[in-house]
Amino acid sequence: EKKDERKGNKSNRNQDNIIADPETGLVGVFDGVGGIASGDKASQSAESSIPRAYEEAMKKNKKANAYEIQKKIVEMQLQKIGSGDLDAEQRMRPEITAMVENMFIKDKGLGYKALSMLESMQAANKEVEKTKGGTTACVGLVHESADGTRWAVIANVGDSAAFKRRANGEMVQLTREDSFINMLTESGSLSPELLQRMKKTPDKPHPIPVTRALVKALGGGEKEYEKLHGQDYPMTYKKLKAA
């Protein structure tokens, strides 16, 4: 049996796996979630499925209308940022739409790769679910425009973030950690001031305004939101970190 050299496991140590795929240009890291059974299988599944899913998505998206591609990216970004919070989605829609439109004005190829990256992560998530395990993921590539401008296309899940190393050796964080805390701050459920107060007293419950994003993150639905809307929900910083 011929071995696929470009998409094999590079390391199983500590449930870690990596991508370095010369055909798609994808690079990535995956860290199986500790404390969850099959974390190693989950990271292996993501590592092996993302390059193939990305290639399939690119073939499909190159045939699609650019406007439809833009709409898909906007909706996927709003769904992630709002996490079911309709108010947050409405508030962020103009900014996200302008960002995506600007991306396509600069380089359509960049837009196609961005959507394909998002879709490959979604496809990988379905494969990871089959393992009954969990993994973080940070995947990206460098796209070069016709004028020589280079762009980083990155997607991350969990607390694996992407960094850029500048010529002077300085490390710059490019992406936010995909965490419960970030989700709450971006949706407006948790203010920076309240977060700082919670950090100072990590065991003390602090009242967090109830939003759809918070209720959804805690496992509730629209009925629970309607019951709790307008109230505060007590949470400790330790609970936020563990969520």
Side-chain angles (χ1 to χ4, degrees), residues 4 35 59 71 84-85 112 118 127 132 149 168 187 211 224 232 242:
D4 188 346
K59 289 178 182 178
K71 284 177 58 179
D85 188 327
Y112 288 124
L118 292 172
E127 295 301 313
K132 306 299 182 182
T149 304
N168 62 3
S187 67
T211 62
E224 288 75 17
D232 291 332

Side-chain angles (χ1 to χ4, degrees), residues 107-172:
D107 191 328
K108 289 182 180 179
L110 181 64
Y112 288 124
K113 288 182 178 179
L115 178 60
S116 298
M117 180 77 73
L118 292 172
E119 291 181 334
S120 69
M121 296 289 274
Q122 287 187 331
N125 184 58
K126 292 180 180 179
E127 295 301 313
V128 168
E129 287 178 345
K130 296 177 184 178
T131 71
K132 306 299 182 182
T135 184
T136 69
C138 185
V139 184
L141 56 81
V142 175
H143 172 78
E144 186 169 344
S145 297
D147 62 1
T149 304
R150 304 179 78 195
W151 307 87
V153 183
I154 307 166
N156 68 299
V157 176
D159 59 3
S160 291
F163 292 79
K164 176 177 69 174
R165 183 179 184 275
R166 289 178 171 167
N168 62 3
E170 180 186 2
M171 300 298 291
V172 180

Side-chain angles (χ1 to χ4, degrees), residues 43-74:
S43 64
Q44 290 174 24
S45 175
E47 173 266 326
S48 62
S49 61
I50 284 180
R52 292 181 175 85
Y54 176 80
E55 288 179 315
E56 292 172 2
M58 279 295 291
K59 289 178 182 178
K60 176 195 67 175
N61 291 330
K62 284 181 178 179
K63 299 177 182 178
N65 178 278
Y67 178 68
E68 292 301 318
I69 298 293
Q70 290 182 53
K71 284 177 58 179
K72 285 184 179 180
I73 296 175
V74 169

